[in-house]
Amino acid sequence: MSTNHFETDAIRTQQPTTQYREHSVPLYLTSSFVFEDAEQARALFADEIPGNIYTRFSNPNNTEFIDKLCLLEGAEDGIATASGMAAMYLSMAALLRSGDHVVASRSVFGSTHQIFTVLFPRVGISHTYVDVNDDHSVWEAAIRPNTRMIFVESPSNPALDIIDLEWLGKLAASRNVILNVDNCFCTPYIQNPIRWGAGLVTHSATKFIDGQGRVIGGAVVGRKDLIKEVRYFARHTGPAMSPFNAWILSKSLETLAVRMDRHGENALKLAQFLETHPQVTLVKYPFLPSHPHFSLAKKQMKSGGGVVTFEVRGGIEQGRRFLNSLKMISHSANLGDVRTIATHPASTTHSKLTNAERAAVGITPGLIRVSAGLEHIDDIIADVKQAIES
Ligand SMILES: *Cc1c(COP(=O)(O)O)cnc(C)c1O
């Protein structure tokens, strides 16, 4: 039950205590559940009573994680998945049919891009990409009679451009299209797309929700009628989250509010430092007044989040030199960890794109993405500074 306080809901949403009177929820590592009698088995399979049957369908640890996430996102229902990509794929494949069309922002996660451009065309689902910074009229014109879904990430990765979710929510409603928002960069603590009209919110729980770089997981939450179809699809195709990961991730949600506050604080301080450095030609962070969508970010986000991007003078070579000079900060492709992570998108995560494709999603040759961790901010800034100056 919601208290309307994020921190309390994140901690006090728990599975019922067992006969052992444990304080912290136990790990339910069981593949199936026993029936009390034949009648209960029949009623469970007929969906006449709620309850666990088999862990591919549901498990107490998964239920706790998803119930909590639904409360935090303001969602009616949801389902936990084995990875963020399982969530992205399910949220679309469960609802789209051959002949349907999706309008998506061009700057989506790499594997989401593969779904749109390679896998969906095989089954007759088409898409139109729109640039995050395109005029509203371009988004409106992209919607066709067979468009069934709008899919976006805001802030975009790695350019950190912001989409007006309230406007997009109204557009989706007026055209009877499902708005699906990948909210992985923000987590429910920073942004709640359902409030602005999203029918579905998708997550990679691997990032800030876990927050400690341990497990892979994902979730789809949203409108009850949509989740019903997603659940049917998941039950029979099998991308269930492991109960062990659900146990970890439910505990991670308990500390999400304090962690995201500090991620945001450290990222803002790092961005402010970078703005003053003569070797840095561009800094992008949603809560810097210099961000092109600063006021929009302030309206729909509680903080600027944990990710900062910047450009060092000297292009791709200087970008690589920066990464090779880091002493403490990790060079990894992940984000949303207690450890600060730096990535050079042009030579790694987005290296398969052409220069023109990279430019279209805001990736310049020298662009560096930093996911600010929870180390002391002085140590984060000192390492970034020495690497820029090396
Ligand atoms: C990481 C990520 C995903 C994919 O999540 P996995 O848990 O790695 O499968 C999807 N969207 C965004 C924005 C991400 O950062």
Side-chain angles (χ1 to χ4, degrees):
M1 230 191 31
S2 176
T3 61
N4 290 319
H5 290 132
F6 189 100
E7 295 82 350
T8 312
D9 287 346
I11 291 168
R12 292 290 173 180
T13 305
Q14 269 188 278
Q15 284 294 290
T17 306
T18 72
Q19 58 179 319
Y20 296 111
R21 297 175 289 102
E22 71 280 356
H23 192 197
S24 171
V25 76
L27 187 44
Y28 291 93
L29 286 186
T30 175
S31 41
S32 72
F33 299 83
V34 289
F35 308 116
E36 281 163 10
D37 51 39
E39 172 50 25
Q40 188 195 37
R42 186 207 59 78
L44 279 166
F45 269 93
D47 279 333
E48 288 172 11
I49 54 170
N52 297 305
I53 299 173
Y54 188 62
T55 286
R56 170 152 47 81
F57 313 165
S58 69
N59 173 285
N61 292 122
N62 298 40
T63 301
E64 180 180 287
F65 167 68
I66 205 70
D67 283 356
K68 201 184 278 190
L69 190 64
C70 285
L71 216 48
L72 302 180
E73 281 286 14
E76 291 172 349
D77 201 0
I79 178 160
T81 57
S83 69
M85 283 324 301
M88 305 308 148
Y89 180 73
L90 265 184
S91 71
M92 297 192 270
L95 293 155
L96 301 172
R97 304 283 180 273
S98 177
D100 285 348
H101 173 257
V102 182
V103 171
S105 65
R106 189 180 301 281
S107 32
V108 289
F109 188 71
S111 292
T112 309
H113 173 71
Q114 296 298 320
I115 291 176
F116 286 137
T117 56
V118 179
L119 299 176
F120 275 176
R122 289 182 190 168
V123 292
I125 298 166
S126 60
H127 72 282
T128 300
Y129 275 149
V130 182
D131 287 347
V132 179
N133 292 314
D134 272 344
D135 251 30
H136 286 180
S137 62
V138 179
W139 286 87
E140 283 160 14
I143 299 177
R144 303 178 190 166
N146 61 335
T147 303
R148 213 160 127 64
M149 187 176 281
I150 299 175
F151 186 97
V152 296
E153 289 174 26
S154 182
S156 67
N157 176 25
L160 301 180
D161 287 314
I162 311 286
I163 300 172
D164 186 339
L165 291 178
E166 182 176 21
W167 172 78
L168 207 54
K170 285 186 178 144
L171 175 66
S174 73
R175 308 290 281 272
N176 198 23
V177 169
I178 302 159
L179 174 61
N180 185 348
V181 180
D182 177 344
N183 202 27
C184 158
F185 263 51
C186 281
T187 80
Y189 183 65
I190 292 183
Q191 177 171 278
N192 294 124
I194 288 171
R195 187 178 152 201
W196 307 114
L200 291 172
V201 172
T202 34
H203 277 287
S204 165
T206 315
K207 312 296 168 55
F208 290 102
I209 290 182
D210 172 45
Q212 293 163 73
R214 301 166 297 188
V215 300
I216 302 282
V220 187
V221 302
R223 251 167 49 201
K224 215 180 176 74
D225 60 316
L226 302 177
I227 296 297
K228 190 172 173 218
E229 295 207 39
V230 175
R231 175 168 291 119
Y232 170 83
F233 195 96
R235 176 168 168 154
H236 300 297
T237 57
M241 176 181 277
S242 141
F244 178 77
N245 289 6
W247 180 80
I248 295 262
L249 292 166
S250 183
K251 296 202 176 296
S252 301
L253 286 174
E254 294 176 358
T255 57
L256 186 67
V258 284
R259 287 188 289 107
M260 292 316 289
D261 276 342
R262 184 61 66 82
H263 280 296
E265 218 176 276
N266 282 354
L268 179 61
K269 284 182 185 157
L270 175 64
Q272 287 166 338
F273 159 76
L274 288 165
E275 271 199 322
T276 65
H277 200 288
Q279 287 300 107
V280 174
T281 50
L282 171 94
V283 184
K284 207 112 165 254
Y285 183 67
F287 269 34
L288 279 184
S290 60
H291 190 286
H293 310 122
F294 175 62
S295 57
L296 193 53
K298 282 268 178 185
K299 175 186 150 196
Q300 65 193 34
M301 295 165 71
K302 190 179 174 122
S303 85
V307 180
V308 182
T309 57
F310 65 99
E311 166 114 29
V312 281
R313 205 180 294 282
I316 201 154
E317 271 319 304
Q318 192 54 35
R320 289 163 61 101
R321 201 168 308 141
F322 170 85
L323 287 158
N324 288 336
S325 307
L326 290 169
K327 293 197 165 94
M328 174 189 80
I329 294 172
S330 316
H331 181 192
S332 171
N334 199 14
L335 61 93
D337 195 311
V338 284
R339 286 159 280 265
T340 299
I341 294 171
T343 316
H344 182 229
S347 69
T348 60
T349 52
H350 293 73
S351 60
K352 288 191 187 72
L353 304 190
T354 62
N355 281 332
E357 284 173 324
R358 274 194 292 272
V361 292
I363 302 171
T364 50
L367 189 82
I368 306 282
R369 184 187 77 191
V370 174
S371 167
L374 305 184
E375 303 98 335
H376 195 287
I377 185 60
D378 292 352
D379 296 320
I380 298 172
I381 289 177
D383 198 21
V384 167
K385 182 170 188 293
Q386 68 79 23
I388 291 172
E389 291 167 5
S390 70

